[in-house]
Amino acid sequence: MTDPDDPREALLRVLLGGPRRYTRLQVGAMAGMPPERTRRLWRALGFPDAADDDQVFTDADVQALALLSALIDTGFVDEDFEASIIRAMAQSLSRLADWQTDLLADVLARDDARGETPIDPQRAVEGTRRLLPLLRALQDYVWRRHLAANAERLLASAGGDRRELAVGFADLVGYTSRSRGMAGRELGAMVEDFEGTAAEVIARHRGRVVKTVGDGVLYTAVSAIDAVEIGLELPETWQTGDRPPLRVGAAYGTVLTHLGDVYSPVVNLASRLTSLGRPGALLVDRELARRLRGLPRYRVRPLRRVSVRGYDELQPWLVRRRPAGEADLALEGMLDEMADDVLEDDLDDG
């Protein structure tokens, strides 16, 4: 049994919306679900199995299972994919919860002039009661905004889960070796700066952040030009002070979108191109290079073909901004013609 006077238990009651008083078997019976199904969904949320006699579930857990059943009954969610949907939501919200826990810890540390550690559980309860309604309202607003933006993109497209998209991958060069010598707070600040810069640049050019992975960010854009502008502007914006340099690879093609993620050989191609790039460079595939053809603002040049995992003769294309006045140079005009010839040859071979 849990102690209702325990501050830690009080904190969990605030966060979970009530006391923990049901076992896994009781929750399943109340929701009308077989035990194996509740276990599968619990694991999909990212939590370890609870013993049959552990009272770790609340009325909110029963209600959540009832809501899931209602979604299945409406046909909005296929029962065969319920665990996948729960898993996708859990992975996104788990990271959000990590950030919010750090936020709460920072608030408590600022409020505590004594700087005591560990955090006082009673003060954590009070801080959570203040922050939780505000965070919940803000989350609901942000979620609705993103839902509206995605719905607008869906209505503007042909529909379905396969779309023509540009996929880009930006990678911090030397992140692993650099991070070894950094303190935790310093490393966290650098990652936060990187993710913030990436999100701002990608949003400014109508792209979408698919996911971030510490030293990299995966993004998509409907327009090839938007994808290239992101790939050029990100290193330019990021490279200040002693930050590690950034390199970007991008490719264009048919992409499967599923539960917020993207799947396609195009994604792998963008990753391979990134690994080939020098610091500050943007490398693109043939299809993106073709879509930039004839645009005077860019200088697009073929590089030497290389063999990488999955691609025997990969042709990278280096994209740079064309400096003002360069269009009049005879040499650059000749190089443009040579690049066009390479594209024509590739199209003939394809």
Side-chain angles (χ1 to χ4, degrees):
M1 295 292 292
T2 58
D3 180 3
D5 296 325
D6 183 354
R8 291 177 175 79
E9 196 61 36
L11 175 61
L12 292 178
R13 284 201 303 272
V14 172
L15 292 172
L16 297 176
R20 299 185 295 170
R21 55 186 178 184
Y22 302 124
T23 66
R24 180 179 63 84
L25 297 177
Q26 288 173 327
V27 166
M30 295 170 69
M33 285 190 180
E36 187 54 41
R37 186 179 175 194
T38 59
R39 180 186 289 113
R40 184 175 69 252
L41 294 176
W42 187 245
R43 290 173 180 170
L45 284 170
F47 301 123
D49 290 343
D52 289 346
D53 58 350
D54 281 351
Q55 293 179 314
V56 296
F57 298 98
T58 70
D59 289 318
D61 293 301
V62 179
Q63 184 180 11
L65 291 177
L67 289 173
L68 180 59
S69 294
L71 283 173
I72 293 173
D73 291 341
T74 63
F76 186 76
V77 173
D78 191 313
E79 186 173 351
D80 293 337
F81 296 104
E82 63 178 5
S84 298
I85 293 172
I86 293 296
R87 189 179 304 111
M89 294 176 63
Q91 289 172 355
S92 298
L93 293 175
S94 172
R95 187 177 181 196
L96 180 62
D98 287 342
W99 169 78
Q100 290 171 343
T101 304
D102 291 341
L103 175 65
L104 176 61
D106 288 342
V107 169
L108 294 176
R110 288 199 304 269
D111 290 347
D112 190 353
R114 298 166 298 177
E116 291 183 350
T117 56
I119 293 172
D120 178 15
Q122 188 58 50
R123 295 184 60 250
V125 173
E126 296 169 0
T128 301
R129 284 200 177 104
R130 295 199 313 268
L131 286 175
L132 191 59
L134 302 176
L135 291 174
R136 180 183 294 170
L138 184 59
Q139 282 176 203
D140 184 69
Y141 161 76
V142 174
W143 169 69
R144 287 176 180 273
R145 268 293 176 182
H146 277 286
L147 195 61
N150 286 332
E152 188 174 23
R153 282 194 289 265
L154 176 64
L155 294 175
S157 69
D161 54 6
R162 293 185 182 274
R163 305 172 59 193
E164 294 292 308
L165 290 174
V167 177
F169 189 79
D171 170 62
L172 290 174
V173 181
Y175 170 84
T176 302
S177 58
R178 180 76 171 268
S179 62
R180 290 197 192 102
M182 300 177 72
R185 186 172 292 274
E186 183 185 7
L187 177 60
M190 185 185 74
V191 171
E192 179 67 24
D193 286 345
F194 168 61
E195 292 183 357
T197 299
E200 182 177 337
V201 171
I202 292 169
R204 184 158 57 238
H205 294 286
R206 295 169 290 278
R208 183 178 78 87
V209 175
V210 177
K211 56 187 171 184
T212 56
V213 283
D215 62 338
V217 59
L218 179 67
Y219 69 89
T220 61
V222 175
S223 161
I225 293 177
D226 285 338
V228 167
E229 282 298 321
I230 292 169
L232 291 172
E233 189 173 321
L234 257 178
E236 295 169 354
T237 305
W238 171 253
Q239 193 55 54
T240 59
D242 62 347
R243 290 171 169 174
L246 191 65
R247 58 187 176 184
V248 184
Y252 192 96
T254 302
V255 176
L256 170 66
T257 59
H258 181 66
L259 297 179
D261 211 338
V262 290
Y263 305 89
S264 169
V266 176
V267 180
N268 295 331
L269 181 53
S271 177
R272 298 290 182 270
L273 289 166
T274 304
S275 67
L276 296 173
R278 293 185 176 182
L282 167 63
L283 298 184
V284 304
D285 72 329
R286 180 187 67 184
E287 185 59 30
L288 256 183
R290 186 182 68 80
R291 290 171 180 268
L292 300 178
R293 191 177 182 183
L295 296 179
R297 74 180 89 167
Y298 303 117
R299 178 200 293 170
V300 184
R301 300 288 182 259
L303 302 182
R304 180 173 57 87
R305 292 178 182 268
V306 294
S307 294
V308 295
R309 189 175 63 181
Y311 299 90
D312 291 334
E313 291 288 328
L314 177 59
Q315 173 75 77
W317 292 77
L318 177 66
V319 180
R320 294 176 179 170
R321 298 192 189 281
R322 189 184 299 274
E326 186 184 85
D328 298 328
L329 297 178
L331 175 60
E332 292 302 329
M334 182 177 67
L335 292 175
D336 286 340
E337 292 179 3
M338 292 174 62
D340 285 343
D341 289 342
V342 174
L343 280 174
E344 289 289 352
D345 291 342
D346 284 345
L347 290 175
D348 292 340
D349 293 341

